[in-house]
Amino acid sequence: MATEESAGLARSAAVKLSEMGERTKQLGTAIQDPERQSRIVLVIVCVALLLDNMLYMVIVPIVPDYLARLESESEHSHDVIHANSSVNSTQNQNFDVQIGVLFASKAILQLIVNPLTGTFIDRVGYDIPLLIGLSIMFVSTCIFAFAENYVTLFVARSLQGLGSAFADTSGIAMIADRFTEETERSRALGIALAFISFGSLAAPPFGGVLYEFAGKRVPFIVLACVCLADGILCLTVLKPFSSRTRENMPVGTPIYKLMIDPYIAVVAGALTTCNIPLAFLEPTIANWMEETMDASQWQIGLTWLPSFFPHILGVYITVKLAAQYPHLQWFYGALGMVMIGASSCTVPACKNFEQLIIPLCGICFGIALVDTALLPTLAFLVDVRHVSVYGSVYAIADISYCVAYALGPIVAGKIVHDLGFVQLNLGMGLANVIYAPALLLLRNVCLMKPSYSERNMLLQEGPTGLYDTIRMEERQGKNESHSTVANCAHVDEHGKFARNSSSYSEDETFKPEYI
């Protein structure tokens, strides 16, 4: 009897194990489906961008107060009493400088490293740099959680910039690589921008509440756990160390050549200019609100949170308009810069918290228009003017953001001190309005439509990219070669286009066809 029961349990266990194995196999097959994998990739990248921006802003309500407490404890432990007001003033000024340098260190290191990471991403692909970035961000978050002095916090903040240089650039480039159709690409990049916005705007209240009720370590430990989960998902789904994904990669255009491309330079300048108001207001608006409108701490903490909703609205509107009128991308960007300029000029005129919300929402709405219109334009420019490898071009975009956010915490306070808060906002607003007409240069570029997209040629000639390798395997045996393939351009060993019948110079590698 006991033997029969044991045999029955063994059979039942075997059946359950078989069912579990079958389900695991089905799950693995589903994950390998290109369309589903693209969606999973979008989730992984969006979580990485969310984490990066939450880490960037979560320290705003935590670190200044924490460092002030450490300094106060140090003074009490040494029984130091500062009776001279000039000494106190000098110490306060030094403390403000320390906070500004700490905040800016992330963007400064990211700015320095980005040209190298862009080239590295073009060489090895997008998945390994994304995993490297997530790993470094995880380490920096853990250091933040347990840091107990300024030097350790500075190291953690700088490490975060290094991780962001890998994760942000490779993540955005991976989205551009996976979503090849312009409408899908705009929608996917719009979703990524929404996560960036949510991370930046929700982090201060998230960090402030947890810091107040649970201590300094808890918000960083929560973010570290999310980062670890995203890294594990990246490792299991993308399989970054599979050599198959890096075979026959096309040689991307060097970053210095992309930087001197006039169209890419115009887009990079617009991205920098439109983010200057946000980068310069974040470290200065709290003091101004206290001095001019006697704002409470909860008002200061929630200053930017309402701006999340117009930012999402701006992303949604731009994606919808770009789907119907893709040739007007330059106009959406120019309109966004004018709105940013007008809103920035009206900030100093606000007399209370309710009035201030309106221009801040206008700034974030305008930034959404510019970012959502111009980020896909960068990928399009690479497609029609260079080689469709996106690491370096999105490293340039990341550099553009970092220029604004590296200068903000250091320069903004100095400008307010020397010239005043009103002059700062008028200058930023005027810069955006003046720069907006420069986007007219993109008018003809956005009308370009290649006769044969480079990606389709690569899929006909053979797999040469990351995602193309998977796509080509599915197409083999299903698509008949077109008679026009013999006359199409192909990529040589240097990553340049050439026709079978004759050679072309580098400037003639791709001839756009106007609509």
Side-chain angles (χ1 to χ4, degrees), residues 273-278 280-281 285 288 304 336-350 356 358-364 367 421-433:
T273 307
C274 77
N275 280 278
I276 282 177
L278 190 60
F280 280 47
L281 282 175
I285 198 169
W288 177 78
W304 293 100
M337 298 195 76
V338 172
M339 294 185 65
I340 293 169
S343 300
S344 180
C345 291
T346 58
V347 167
C350 299
L356 183 61
I358 297 173
L360 294 184
C361 288
I363 290 174
C364 289
I367 290 174
F421 189 77
V422 175
Q423 286 74 12
L424 173 68
N425 282 270
L426 291 177
M428 296 187 301
L430 189 61
N432 275 274
V433 173

Side-chain angles (χ1 to χ4, degrees), residues 73 131 143 174 179 252 368 402:
E73 291 174 1
L131 184 62
I143 295 175
M174 186 181 290
F179 296 88
C402 291

Side-chain angles (χ1 to χ4, degrees), residues 134-319:
L134 287 170
S135 301
I136 296 174
M137 287 165 59
F138 173 75
V139 172
S140 75
T141 310
C142 293
I143 295 175
F144 259 123
F146 298 98
E148 295 184 353
N149 56 64
Y150 179 85
V151 174
T152 312
L153 290 170
F154 184 85
V155 170
R157 183 70 164 175
S158 301
L159 268 179
Q160 187 201 344
L162 180 62
S164 299
F166 282 97
D168 290 5
T169 305
S170 58
I172 296 293
M174 186 181 290
I175 291 176
D177 183 71
R178 293 293 179 121
F179 296 88
T180 58
E181 201 272 323
E182 290 301 318
T183 303
E184 290 182 352
R185 181 181 285 168
S186 294
R187 186 182 299 113
L189 289 174
I191 293 172
L193 288 172
F195 274 81
I196 291 174
S197 172
F198 181 75
S200 299
L201 300 176
F206 165 82
V209 170
L210 286 181
Y211 174 65
E212 181 71 24
F213 295 102
K216 179 182 76 75
R217 294 180 179 179
V218 174
F220 295 109
I221 291 174
V222 171
L223 293 177
C225 291
V226 178
C227 188
L228 180 63
D230 197 43
I232 293 173
L233 187 62
C234 174
L235 191 62
T236 54
V237 174
L238 299 181
K239 295 181 173 57
F241 297 104
S242 171
S243 60
R244 171 177 167 275
T245 60
R246 300 191 299 277
E247 292 174 354
N248 301 321
M249 281 189 60
V251 179
T253 305
I255 190 169
Y256 70 90
K257 289 189 177 181
L258 296 177
M259 284 182 171
I260 62 176
D261 185 313
Y263 302 106
I264 293 176
V266 167
V267 174
L271 293 175
T272 300
T273 307
C274 77
N275 280 278
I276 282 177
L278 190 60
F280 280 47
L281 282 175
E282 282 176 350
T284 58
I285 198 169
N287 289 334
W288 177 78
M289 290 175 66
E290 287 181 347
E291 294 173 0
T292 59
M293 58 183 67
D294 195 25
S296 60
Q297 289 300 315
W298 73 266
Q299 288 176 328
I300 294 174
L302 296 178
T303 301
W304 293 100
L305 190 58
S307 304
F308 170 71
F309 301 101
H311 188 278
I312 297 298
L313 179 63
V315 170
Y316 178 79
I317 291 175
T318 309
V319 168

Side-chain angles (χ1 to χ4, degrees), residues 193 271-272 274-275 371 375 396-406:
L193 288 172
L271 293 175
T272 300
C274 77
N275 280 278
D371 288 349
L375 282 179
I396 294 174
D398 208 22
I399 289 171
S400 304
Y401 293 124
C402 291
V403 168
Y405 285 97

Side-chain angles (χ1 to χ4, degrees), residues 250-253 386-388 454 490-497 509:
V251 179
T253 305
H386 303 281
V387 182
S388 293
E454 178 193 346
H490 65 277
V491 179
D492 63 15
E493 66 272 13
H494 301 295
K496 299 177 181 177
F497 286 104
T509 56

